Amino acid sequence: MLKQIYEKIKQYDTIVIARHIGVDPDALGSQFALKTAINIAFPEKKVFAVGTKSSRYNYFPKLDKYENKINDNVLLIVVDTPDKKRIDISNLDTFVNACKIDHHPFVEKLGELEYIDVNSSSASELVLRFLVENKMIINTEIAEYLYYGIVSDTNRFLFNTTPDTFKIVEWLTRTYNIDIEKIYRNLYARPFSEVRFQGYISENMTLTENGFAYVIISNDTLFKYGVDSSSAGNMVNNYNNIDEVIVWATVSEDAKNNQYKFNIRSRGPIINQVAEKYNGGGHKLASGARVNTLEEVQSLLNDLDDVCKNYNREENNKLLNERE
Ligand code: AMP
């Protein structure tokens, strides 16, 4: 499949690379690594990396503007996004030719060529496989984009990290002169307002008897702490490995879109199926959703608590069976 995608790229003069809304370093890393590598391999092609910009990630290059009109000589490559509704692009329907490179569980087909590996750490790891498989030139710039993606999506090699991830990262860091300290500084530097805000989240989390912890953050609170609705999502991983908590969620009011944004994490119960019920999705243990009303917020919170309850019951049954 990786070779077929490469052959497809060869056929088109213009390549547009898109990724998901609610951008993160893996989406950007895979996007820019692919763009730069195609630029080097095929200097005559026009390559666009598109999507909404985010000042949080201004250590990545500027995104490109691209207005598509139905055009048969354009190839759309979507990275890190399993479903059409989450692709950060306008006029998706005008793209006739599309392929996908992704590590999310399959949601829907986009084009005839799709390379999906849910066991991969990140979309960046898959792009790296793509470049290696097709013997494309990798330079330090590309290697750094990929390193950003792999490190951030694995939360510094904590999640979805296999021996293959270490192998490929070992090779990447040994072969290219990656400035690891710069990368970690860019990824983890944060304003003091976010540290204070994290204090607010910790103080205000509700913990249920089933091991579900959550906090609802109003727009007023975001304003008071001087942070935006994406800030809670960026610190949700900090609540892992708490003895009493097996699933946790931040629910942030997004006043601009009149919605509530869920960032959900688990260290046991499968949560993406619950998120999907609310038009969300994601990985088994890291998911998200957006809902419109406080009733839906409460309903999703209840469902997540139920998932914890069932999980605890099953785990207890397993223990009892082992003892018998
Ligand atoms: P986040 O909490 O934003 O880091 O997202 C965790 C995972 O859930 C990622 O794989 C996202 O792609 C996915 N995700 C987040 N929000 C949504 C949503 N509204 N719909 C579908 N998937 C989502």
Side-chain angles (χ1 to χ4, degrees), residues 282-293:
H283 304 279
K284 283 181 185 167
L285 304 181
S287 303
R290 284 178 169 270
V291 299
N292 299 317
T293 64

Side-chain angles (χ1 to χ4, degrees), residues 19 35 42 56 69 78 98 111 194 206 215 239 297 309:
R19 39 68 186 172
K35 174 182 168 174
F42 305 103
R56 183 180 288 272
K69 299 174 195 76
V78 172
E194 285 200 358
T206 300
V215 60
Y239 293 86
V297 167
K309 195 172 172 179

Side-chain angles (χ1 to χ4, degrees), residues 64-117:
D64 303 308
K65 288 215 172 346
Y66 182 76
E67 285 297 328
N68 193 43
K69 299 174 195 76
I70 292 194
N71 182 345
D72 223 16
N73 208 7
V74 177
L75 177 66
L76 173 68
I77 306 178
V78 172
V79 292
D80 201 28
T81 319
D83 45 355
K84 291 181 189 167
K85 73 172 189 317
R86 300 228 335 132
I87 301 174
D88 191 349
I89 198 165
S90 51
N91 308 330
L92 179 64
D93 294 340
T94 61
F95 290 90
V96 191
N97 312 292
C99 47
K100 188 200 283 179
I101 298 177
D102 189 24
H103 71 130
H104 289 87
F106 178 80
V107 175
E108 64 185 330
K109 212 164 163 59
L110 177 75
E112 60 181 291
L113 299 181
E114 307 210 330
Y115 182 68
I116 299 170
D117 180 358

Side-chain angles (χ1 to χ4, degrees), residues 31-278:
Q31 198 177 23
F32 280 110
L34 197 55
K35 174 182 168 174
T36 312
I38 297 174
N39 273 334
I40 293 171
F42 305 103
E44 71 288 357
K45 293 189 192 298
K46 292 197 177 75
V47 191
F48 299 86
V50 300
T52 315
K53 67 171 185 182
S54 164
S55 56
R56 183 180 288 272
Y57 305 120
N58 59 11
Y59 45 88
F60 281 100
K62 277 207 174 100
L63 288 146
D64 303 308
K65 288 215 172 346
Y66 182 76
E67 285 297 328
N68 193 43
K69 299 174 195 76
I70 292 194
N71 182 345
D72 223 16
N73 208 7
V74 177
L75 177 66
L76 173 68
I77 306 178
V78 172
V79 292
D80 201 28
T81 319
D83 45 355
K84 291 181 189 167
K85 73 172 189 317
R86 300 228 335 132
I87 301 174
D88 191 349
I89 198 165
S90 51
N91 308 330
L92 179 64
D93 294 340
T94 61
F95 290 90
V96 191
N97 312 292
C99 47
K100 188 200 283 179
I101 298 177
D102 189 24
H103 71 130
H104 289 87
F106 178 80
V107 175
E108 64 185 330
K109 212 164 163 59
L110 177 75
E112 60 181 291
L113 299 181
E114 307 210 330
Y115 182 68
I116 299 170
D117 180 358
V118 292
N119 296 317
S120 164
S121 66
S122 52
S124 297
E125 184 180 334
L126 297 182
V127 167
L128 179 51
R129 268 189 227 165
F130 171 81
L131 303 182
V132 172
E133 174 87 18
N134 292 300
K135 301 188 173 52
M136 293 177 78
I137 291 173
I138 300 174
N139 58 18
T140 302
E141 181 188 354
I142 295 171
E144 290 195 343
Y145 293 146
L146 296 170
Y147 194 79
Y148 274 114
I150 297 170
V151 162
S152 67
D153 242 40
T154 59
N155 199 8
R156 282 173 273 180
F157 306 105
L158 188 62
F159 311 126
N160 302 323
T161 303
T162 63
D164 283 344
T165 318
F166 283 121
K167 199 170 158 194
I168 206 156
V169 168
E170 188 268 341
W171 173 79
L172 198 68
T173 48
R174 196 157 34 82
T175 314
Y176 302 96
N177 194 17
I178 294 179
D179 187 345
I180 290 177
E181 276 184 33
K182 173 193 77 182
I183 290 177
Y184 279 97
R185 161 113 195 109
N186 280 335
L187 283 175
Y188 299 109
R190 61 212 191 283
F192 203 65
S193 56
E194 285 200 358
V195 182
R196 291 202 192 283
F197 179 55
Q198 190 174 332
Y200 171 87
I201 295 179
S202 306
E203 275 293 321
N204 289 280
M205 267 198 167
T206 300
L207 175 63
T208 73
E209 59 182 13
N210 299 311
F212 174 46
Y214 66 90
V215 60
I216 302 176
I217 304 148
S218 69
N219 193 47
D220 287 349
T221 303
L222 294 174
F223 184 75
K224 181 175 159 200
Y225 283 88
V227 293
D228 61 32
S229 67
S230 63
S231 296
N234 289 309
M235 48 186 76
V236 70
N237 289 331
N238 297 348
Y239 293 86
N240 199 353
N241 298 316
I242 300 173
D243 287 340
E244 295 85 349
V245 178
I246 52 171
V247 172
W248 61 104
T250 55
V251 188
S252 321
E253 188 174 359
D254 178 357
K256 210 164 90 192
N257 294 305
N258 221 355
Q259 285 182 321
Y260 294 90
K261 187 165 88 69
F262 273 75
N263 295 86
I264 319 164
R265 297 292 185 270
S266 168
R267 54 188 183 88
I270 291 171
I271 48 171
N272 57 351
Q273 289 159 358
V274 186
E276 280 162 21
K277 235 179 99 181
Y278 294 83

